[in-house]
Amino acid sequence: MYFLCKLLYITVFALLSAAPPYLPLYYHDVLGFTSDQIGFTIAIAPFVQSIACPIWTYLVDKRPKLHGPTMALTSLIGGIAVMGIMGIGHYVQNSDKEETTLETSNRSTMLLTCTFALAFAFFTLPNTSLVDSAVMKILGPNKILYGEQRLWGSISTGLTILLVGVLISATDNLDSLFYVFAGSTVCFILCAFSAKVEPPQQDEEQSRLVPPNTDTNYYVDNQLTKELTQHDVETDEEDGASYLTAPHYDRRLLKLTTTTSMARTVREEADEALDSISGLNLGLAVSRVMSVEHAMTGILEDSESVQVPSGSTFRSPRVLTFLTTTLMFGLVLSMLINFLFLFLSQSLHMPASWIGWTGPVGGVTELFCFCFAKQMTERWGVTNLIVGAHLVTIVRCISYTLLVPDSVISHCLALLLQTLHGVGFAVFWATAVSEIDSFFPPEQRAVAQGVLGALNQGLGTGLGALIGGYIDAYCGTLWMFRSAAALAALSIVIFVVGRHPRFES
């Protein structure tokens, strides 16, 4: 069921996992970039993506029939840009470099690579949001099945990273990452053209709002009763409940219930479903966490039903410190993720086939933690989980500095430490997604979730790449890991201060 939705996630995450994780290696080994140049090039993506996603999402929402072709066209343009980076590498390798022109050549290479990276970020990276939006529309009233579709993207990520690593090791050629990327892009383009995305119909929306087994009356909550006229509402004298008479069930009720229906996000529906079952369901667990990735998409689709939180709410100490912690933790993870492969290859001399295993190893623990995130929150609470995620990340950073090169034991320990990424990121993100909802009323949560994602995965990721690259270039990789650990410790202090009872609203 919904086979195309699964294929969209498999192919889009395959193309996003084939090239970006290994590009720092290509920039260093083939293009000869320094760490600060690598950090600058990587930082382009999150900043440009945060601007491009709303633009492309808005366009496809206005022209639903062009949703599939838009995904295909943007992926094609971004794919050409990435293949252009491979062309630059071939040119650099084949060109004769003289001492007097080396600096000029490096500057030109850097400028052209950044241009291609910008094009990739603007055209291809927003396809994650576009696929999210397309899948939600294809699912229609069955949006709670989102997690079962999105799960295949996580599986695709781990396996693609492994495949690219094995191919690089087998061929001893970094061009393998571009070939896997090109194949994945072609597959995604074919799936995108096959996607038939239609705007939601009114009768479909009514079917979600109207109770199925009623003949004349529909229950109306207290909030809607105040907004409807007395003529529209009948009140039962026995139970005091208000009901809407059938002849007046029209577009006006749909408009009034928009905010209420928006409040029931995919994540909240998944929460309720998890509460109603006795066992575990990985699809529902993914829905309650990963659906935040398209929070800004929800805002653009139905802006009239979404309220922007007041500035005073964001300025409250508890909210402000929590968002600051979210930003800093995103920065720390960016320093680790963006330069990890470079560290494993250049410092530890780990084979590419081993590096590829970081994808499945981290992915399995990440999904495992997502699956039990709700239970962990109920048992240990938000404060303990957020602090625990930081401590796990600090241990990971310090442990990297203790590994020695050319050692099989170090290689095994490095893979073992990758499991801590799954624990640290998944526990923090799942907890943060739930906690941010507690600060805001339902009609403001879409904006709040968008702010959360922008700080952690946008601004935090970009700053982490810049800062990590600078420290790595001028102080060394070990000091980059130590700095990341220090920033994580500072993030704990800021978070704990904000949790003081005096700041509790």
Side-chain angles (χ1 to χ4, degrees):
M1 189 177 183
Y2 299 118
F3 182 64
L4 180 60
C5 295
K6 296 177 176 63
L7 283 181
L8 285 171
Y9 277 120
I10 290 172
T11 52
V12 75
F13 278 94
L15 70 89
L16 292 176
S17 304
Y22 290 94
L23 279 178
L25 280 177
Y26 194 83
Y27 294 151
H28 181 274
D29 294 353
V30 179
L31 302 185
F33 286 1
T34 59
S35 294
D36 56 333
Q37 290 176 322
I38 294 174
F40 180 83
T41 307
I42 295 173
I44 292 174
F47 291 128
V48 173
Q49 183 182 7
S50 63
I51 298 173
C53 280
I55 294 175
W56 290 113
T57 306
Y58 177 80
L59 290 176
V60 298
D61 285 340
K62 290 299 182 181
R63 297 288 187 272
K65 293 184 178 180
L66 297 179
H67 201 132
T70 299
M71 292 191 296
L73 180 61
T74 54
S75 181
L76 175 62
I77 297 174
I80 293 173
V82 171
M83 299 307 291
I85 296 177
M86 183 179 73
I88 295 174
H90 287 180
Y91 174 79
V92 170
Q93 288 178 319
N94 296 329
S95 63
D96 295 325
K97 302 177 183 178
E98 300 179 0
E99 291 289 337
T100 56
T101 61
L102 181 60
E103 183 177 350
T104 304
S105 176
N106 183 268
R107 188 184 301 114
S108 301
T109 301
M110 175 74 177
L111 179 61
L112 192 56
T113 302
C114 287
T115 302
F116 284 138
L118 189 151
F120 172 70
F122 185 82
F123 289 103
T124 296
L125 291 185
N127 273 316
T128 53
S129 296
L130 295 182
V131 169
D132 272 338
S133 177
V135 168
M136 286 299 206
K137 293 173 184 176
I138 293 173
L139 292 177
N142 300 317
K143 289 182 174 63
I144 199 170
L145 299 178
Y146 164 80
E148 295 183 8
Q149 322 308 316
R150 175 59 177 76
L151 176 63
W152 288 92
S154 299
I155 296 173
S156 175
T157 296
L159 294 180
T160 302
I161 292 175
L162 174 60
L163 173 63
V164 173
V166 170
L167 289 177
I168 291 175
S169 183
T171 61
D172 195 26
N173 190 343
L174 285 171
D175 284 351
S176 298
L177 71 92
F178 295 102
Y179 299 140
V180 176
F181 171 83
S184 301
T185 299
V186 171
C187 292
F188 176 71
I189 290 174
L190 294 176
C191 292
F193 271 123
S194 301
K196 304 299 181 183
V197 180
E198 299 292 339
Q201 302 297 321
Q202 181 180 347
D203 56 350
E204 174 188 297
E205 187 66 20
Q206 287 187 8
S207 68
R208 299 181 61 194
L209 298 173
V210 181
N213 296 320
T214 53
D215 298 325
T216 58
N217 297 329
Y218 302 105
Y219 179 72
V220 183
D221 62 21
N222 293 331
Q223 179 181 358
L224 295 181
T225 302
K226 297 178 182 178
E227 302 189 48
L228 290 167
T229 65
Q230 187 64 35
H231 178 70
D232 296 323
V233 179
E234 294 181 356
T235 302
D236 193 311
E237 296 181 356
E238 294 184 1
D239 59 13
S242 298
Y243 295 87
L244 183 70
T245 55
H248 301 96
Y249 189 86
D250 55 12
R251 288 179 177 271
R252 198 149 50 86
L253 176 62
L254 291 177
K255 182 175 181 61
L256 288 170
T257 54
T258 301
T259 301
T260 305
S261 63
M262 280 293 295
R264 283 180 52 81
T265 61
V266 176
R267 191 189 67 76
E268 290 168 325
E269 290 185 13
D271 264 337
E272 294 179 4
L274 284 172
D275 287 335
S276 65
I277 61 177
S278 56
L280 297 171
N281 187 301
L282 185 55
L284 292 176
V286 172
S287 287
R288 69 183 297 271
V289 178
M290 291 302 188
S291 58
V292 178
E293 292 182 353
H294 56 264
M296 295 306 294
T297 301
I299 296 174
L300 292 170
E301 286 178 350
D302 200 356
S303 58
E304 293 183 357
S305 67
V306 178
Q307 295 181 10
V308 178
S310 63
S312 59
T313 305
F314 285 113
R315 288 192 298 269
S316 67
R318 175 156 289 200
V319 176
L320 185 60
T321 53
F322 180 77
L323 292 178
T324 302
T325 297
T326 299
L327 171 64
M328 294 188 66
F329 196 71
L331 190 153
V332 169
L333 287 183
S334 176
M335 294 171 66
L336 291 176
I337 294 171
N338 287 315
F339 295 93
L340 177 62
F341 284 14
L342 200 58
F343 167 72
L344 296 178
S345 176
Q346 300 300 317
S347 299
L348 298 187
H349 305 149
M350 179 184 287
S353 57
W354 283 57
I355 294 176
W357 278 101
T358 58
V361 169
V364 169
T365 54
E366 181 179 307
L367 290 175
F368 184 80
C369 290
F370 280 148
C371 187
F372 289 94
K374 185 176 177 64
Q375 290 81 354
M376 288 189 292
T377 303
E378 293 172 350
R379 179 168 182 176
W380 290 303
V382 172
T383 302
N384 289 332
L385 288 180
I386 293 292
V387 172
H390 280 77
L391 292 176
V392 164
T393 304
I394 292 174
V395 170
R396 182 185 174 203
C397 292
I398 298 300
S399 298
Y400 281 137
T401 66
L402 304 178
L403 300 179
V404 296
D406 300 309
S407 170
V408 175
I409 295 178
S410 290
H411 295 169
C412 294
L413 291 176
L415 289 179
L416 185 62
L417 289 173
Q418 185 64 15
T419 62
L420 298 184
H421 167 75
V423 175
F425 167 72
V427 169
F428 177 88
W429 187 243
T431 307
V433 165
S434 297
E435 180 66 2
I436 198 70
D437 276 356
S438 67
F439 297 142
F440 300 90
E443 63 274 10
Q444 297 178 359
R445 288 174 183 168
V447 175
Q449 297 286 2
V451 172
L452 181 76
L455 287 175
N456 185 268
Q457 301 173 12
L459 183 60
T461 300
L463 291 177
L466 288 173
I467 295 174
Y470 183 87
I471 297 175
D472 190 25
Y474 296 99
C475 301
T477 306
L478 298 184
W479 277 106
M480 185 197 68
F481 286 128
R482 291 166 185 156
S483 299
L487 288 172
L490 177 60
S491 180
I492 291 178
V493 173
I494 294 174
F495 175 74
V496 171
V497 169
R499 306 301 287 188
H500 192 278
R502 67 178 294 185
F503 297 131
E504 187 173 357
S505 58

